[in-house]
Every structure is written in C-alpha cells, then in structure tokens.
Short mmCIF file of all heavy atoms in Angstrom, two decimals:
data_model
loop_
_atom_site.label_atom_id
_atom_site.label_comp_id
_atom_site.label_asym_id
_atom_site.label_seq_id
_atom_site.Cartn_x
_atom_site.Cartn_y
_atom_site.Cartn_z
N TYR A 21 81.55 -4.18 -48.04
CA TYR A 21 82.06 -5.51 -48.35
C TYR A 21 83.38 -5.78 -47.66
O TYR A 21 84.10 -4.86 -47.26
CB TYR A 21 82.23 -5.67 -49.87
CG TYR A 21 83.19 -4.67 -50.47
CD1 TYR A 21 84.56 -4.92 -50.52
CD2 TYR A 21 82.74 -3.46 -50.97
CE1 TYR A 21 85.43 -4.00 -51.06
CE2 TYR A 21 83.60 -2.54 -51.51
CZ TYR A 21 84.96 -2.82 -51.56
OH TYR A 21 85.82 -1.89 -52.08
N THR A 22 83.66 -7.04 -47.51
CA THR A 22 84.97 -7.52 -47.11
C THR A 22 85.34 -8.63 -48.06
O THR A 22 84.48 -9.32 -48.62
CB THR A 22 85.00 -8.05 -45.66
OG1 THR A 22 84.03 -9.08 -45.53
CG2 THR A 22 84.74 -6.98 -44.65
N ALA A 23 86.62 -8.79 -48.26
CA ALA A 23 87.14 -9.88 -49.08
C ALA A 23 88.36 -10.42 -48.36
O ALA A 23 89.31 -9.68 -48.09
CB ALA A 23 87.49 -9.39 -50.48
N ASP A 24 88.31 -11.69 -48.00
CA ASP A 24 89.41 -12.29 -47.26
C ASP A 24 89.45 -13.79 -47.54
O ASP A 24 88.94 -14.23 -48.58
CB ASP A 24 89.27 -12.00 -45.76
CG ASP A 24 87.94 -12.46 -45.18
OD1 ASP A 24 87.25 -13.30 -45.79
OD2 ASP A 24 87.57 -11.98 -44.10
N GLU A 25 90.01 -14.56 -46.62
CA GLU A 25 90.11 -16.00 -46.84
C GLU A 25 88.74 -16.67 -46.95
O GLU A 25 88.62 -17.79 -47.43
CB GLU A 25 90.93 -16.66 -45.72
CG GLU A 25 90.30 -16.63 -44.34
CD GLU A 25 90.58 -15.35 -43.56
OE1 GLU A 25 91.29 -14.46 -44.06
OE2 GLU A 25 90.07 -15.24 -42.42
N ASN A 26 87.69 -16.00 -46.52
CA ASN A 26 86.33 -16.53 -46.63
C ASN A 26 85.62 -16.06 -47.90
O ASN A 26 84.43 -16.29 -48.06
CB ASN A 26 85.52 -16.12 -45.40
CG ASN A 26 86.10 -16.71 -44.14
OD1 ASN A 26 86.43 -17.88 -44.10
ND2 ASN A 26 86.26 -15.89 -43.12
N GLY A 27 86.31 -15.36 -48.79
CA GLY A 27 85.73 -14.91 -50.05
C GLY A 27 85.18 -13.50 -49.95
O GLY A 27 85.39 -12.78 -48.97
N TYR A 28 84.48 -13.12 -50.99
CA TYR A 28 83.87 -11.79 -51.08
C TYR A 28 82.53 -11.81 -50.35
O TYR A 28 81.69 -12.68 -50.61
CB TYR A 28 83.68 -11.42 -52.56
CG TYR A 28 82.99 -10.11 -52.77
CD1 TYR A 28 83.63 -8.91 -52.49
CD2 TYR A 28 81.71 -10.06 -53.29
CE1 TYR A 28 83.00 -7.69 -52.70
CE2 TYR A 28 81.07 -8.85 -53.51
CZ TYR A 28 81.72 -7.68 -53.21
OH TYR A 28 81.10 -6.48 -53.41
N GLN A 29 82.34 -10.88 -49.42
CA GLN A 29 81.13 -10.86 -48.59
C GLN A 29 80.49 -9.48 -48.64
O GLN A 29 80.82 -8.60 -47.85
CB GLN A 29 81.49 -11.22 -47.16
CG GLN A 29 82.16 -12.57 -47.03
CD GLN A 29 82.94 -12.69 -45.74
OE1 GLN A 29 82.55 -12.14 -44.71
NE2 GLN A 29 84.05 -13.39 -45.78
N PRO A 30 79.57 -9.27 -49.58
CA PRO A 30 78.89 -7.98 -49.66
C PRO A 30 77.75 -7.88 -48.66
O PRO A 30 77.14 -8.88 -48.28
CB PRO A 30 78.36 -7.96 -51.09
CG PRO A 30 78.11 -9.40 -51.39
CD PRO A 30 79.18 -10.17 -50.66
N ARG A 31 77.45 -6.65 -48.22
CA ARG A 31 76.33 -6.39 -47.34
C ARG A 31 75.63 -5.12 -47.81
O ARG A 31 76.29 -4.13 -48.07
CB ARG A 31 76.81 -6.20 -45.90
CG ARG A 31 77.42 -7.44 -45.28
CD ARG A 31 78.02 -7.17 -43.90
NE ARG A 31 79.03 -6.13 -43.85
CZ ARG A 31 80.29 -6.27 -44.25
NH1 ARG A 31 80.71 -7.40 -44.77
NH2 ARG A 31 81.13 -5.25 -44.16
N GLY A 32 74.32 -5.18 -47.91
CA GLY A 32 73.56 -4.01 -48.31
C GLY A 32 72.08 -4.33 -48.30
O GLY A 32 71.67 -5.45 -48.62
N ALA A 33 71.28 -3.36 -47.94
CA ALA A 33 69.83 -3.57 -47.86
C ALA A 33 69.22 -3.88 -49.22
O ALA A 33 68.17 -4.50 -49.30
CB ALA A 33 69.17 -2.33 -47.26
N HIS A 34 69.88 -3.48 -50.29
CA HIS A 34 69.35 -3.70 -51.63
C HIS A 34 69.64 -5.11 -52.17
O HIS A 34 69.08 -5.50 -53.19
CB HIS A 34 69.95 -2.67 -52.59
CG HIS A 34 71.43 -2.84 -52.78
ND1 HIS A 34 72.34 -2.54 -51.79
CD2 HIS A 34 72.14 -3.31 -53.82
CE1 HIS A 34 73.55 -2.80 -52.22
NE2 HIS A 34 73.46 -3.27 -53.45
N LEU A 35 70.49 -5.86 -51.50
CA LEU A 35 70.85 -7.20 -51.98
C LEU A 35 69.75 -8.20 -51.68
O LEU A 35 69.11 -8.14 -50.62
CB LEU A 35 72.16 -7.66 -51.33
CG LEU A 35 73.38 -6.81 -51.66
CD1 LEU A 35 74.58 -7.29 -50.85
CD2 LEU A 35 73.69 -6.86 -53.15
N PRO A 36 69.51 -9.14 -52.58
CA PRO A 36 68.48 -10.14 -52.32
C PRO A 36 68.89 -11.06 -51.17
O PRO A 36 70.08 -11.27 -50.93
CB PRO A 36 68.38 -10.91 -53.64
CG PRO A 36 69.68 -10.68 -54.32
CD PRO A 36 70.18 -9.34 -53.86
N THR A 37 67.92 -11.59 -50.47
CA THR A 37 68.19 -12.53 -49.38
C THR A 37 67.52 -13.85 -49.71
O THR A 37 66.48 -13.89 -50.38
CB THR A 37 67.65 -12.00 -48.04
OG1 THR A 37 66.25 -11.76 -48.18
CG2 THR A 37 68.35 -10.73 -47.62
N PRO A 38 68.10 -14.95 -49.25
CA PRO A 38 67.48 -16.25 -49.54
C PRO A 38 66.19 -16.42 -48.75
O PRO A 38 66.01 -15.82 -47.69
CB PRO A 38 68.54 -17.25 -49.08
CG PRO A 38 69.34 -16.52 -48.06
CD PRO A 38 69.32 -15.07 -48.47
N PRO A 39 65.30 -17.27 -49.27
CA PRO A 39 64.07 -17.54 -48.52
C PRO A 39 64.40 -18.34 -47.26
O PRO A 39 65.46 -18.96 -47.17
CB PRO A 39 63.23 -18.36 -49.50
CG PRO A 39 64.22 -18.99 -50.41
CD PRO A 39 65.36 -18.02 -50.51
N PRO A 40 63.50 -18.38 -46.29
CA PRO A 40 63.77 -19.16 -45.08
C PRO A 40 63.86 -20.65 -45.42
O PRO A 40 63.22 -21.13 -46.36
CB PRO A 40 62.57 -18.88 -44.17
CG PRO A 40 61.58 -18.13 -44.99
CD PRO A 40 62.23 -17.68 -46.24
N THR A 41 64.67 -21.36 -44.66
CA THR A 41 64.82 -22.80 -44.86
C THR A 41 63.53 -23.50 -44.43
O THR A 41 63.05 -23.27 -43.33
CB THR A 41 66.01 -23.34 -44.05
OG1 THR A 41 67.18 -22.58 -44.39
CG2 THR A 41 66.26 -24.80 -44.32
N PRO A 42 62.97 -24.36 -45.30
CA PRO A 42 61.73 -25.06 -44.95
C PRO A 42 61.89 -25.92 -43.70
O PRO A 42 62.97 -26.46 -43.43
CB PRO A 42 61.44 -25.93 -46.18
CG PRO A 42 62.21 -25.30 -47.28
CD PRO A 42 63.41 -24.66 -46.66
N GLU A 43 60.82 -26.05 -42.94
CA GLU A 43 60.83 -26.80 -41.68
C GLU A 43 61.30 -28.24 -41.87
O GLU A 43 62.06 -28.77 -41.07
CB GLU A 43 59.45 -26.75 -41.03
CG GLU A 43 59.39 -27.35 -39.63
CD GLU A 43 60.26 -26.61 -38.63
OE1 GLU A 43 60.41 -25.38 -38.75
OE2 GLU A 43 60.78 -27.27 -37.71
N HIS A 44 60.84 -28.90 -42.94
CA HIS A 44 61.22 -30.30 -43.14
C HIS A 44 62.72 -30.44 -43.40
O HIS A 44 63.33 -31.44 -43.01
CB HIS A 44 60.40 -30.94 -44.27
CG HIS A 44 60.63 -30.36 -45.62
ND1 HIS A 44 60.03 -29.19 -46.03
CD2 HIS A 44 61.40 -30.78 -46.65
CE1 HIS A 44 60.43 -28.92 -47.27
NE2 HIS A 44 61.26 -29.86 -47.66
N ILE A 45 63.35 -29.43 -44.00
CA ILE A 45 64.81 -29.47 -44.21
C ILE A 45 65.52 -29.28 -42.88
O ILE A 45 66.50 -29.97 -42.58
CB ILE A 45 65.24 -28.40 -45.23
CG1 ILE A 45 64.59 -28.63 -46.58
CG2 ILE A 45 66.76 -28.32 -45.33
CD1 ILE A 45 65.01 -29.93 -47.26
N LEU A 46 65.03 -28.37 -42.05
CA LEU A 46 65.63 -28.16 -40.73
C LEU A 46 65.54 -29.43 -39.89
O LEU A 46 66.51 -29.81 -39.20
CB LEU A 46 64.95 -27.00 -40.01
CG LEU A 46 65.17 -25.62 -40.62
CD1 LEU A 46 64.31 -24.57 -39.91
CD2 LEU A 46 66.63 -25.24 -40.59
N LYS A 47 64.39 -30.13 -39.95
CA LYS A 47 64.23 -31.38 -39.21
C LYS A 47 65.19 -32.45 -39.73
O LYS A 47 65.80 -33.19 -38.95
CB LYS A 47 62.80 -31.89 -39.30
CG LYS A 47 61.82 -31.10 -38.47
CD LYS A 47 60.41 -31.67 -38.60
CE LYS A 47 59.41 -30.85 -37.81
NZ LYS A 47 58.05 -31.38 -37.94
N ALA A 48 65.34 -32.53 -41.05
CA ALA A 48 66.25 -33.51 -41.64
C ALA A 48 67.69 -33.23 -41.23
O ALA A 48 68.45 -34.15 -40.89
CB ALA A 48 66.12 -33.52 -43.15
#
C-alpha cells in the first residue's frame, strides 16, 4: 500500500476488482 495526497491505495491479488465498464457507458 501507499498513502499520500491521493489517499490510501492498497494492492494485492486477494483484493476484489471492479467489473469491466459496460460498452454503452464507454460510448456515452
């Protein structure tokens, strides 16, 4: 992890990841 002016930023393979952004949202 890092914590700085951009906030707390954890990294790890065990952390959940968001689903991909739907195509219609990317187009919008």
Side-chain angles (χ1 to χ4, degrees):
Y21 60 87
T22 56
D24 56 19
E25 67 275 359
N26 297 314
Y28 177 71
Q29 302 160 34
R31 294 174 303 283
H34 66 289
L35 297 174
T37 57
T41 306
E43 187 63 32
H44 64 279
I45 299 296
L46 293 174
K47 286 181 182 179

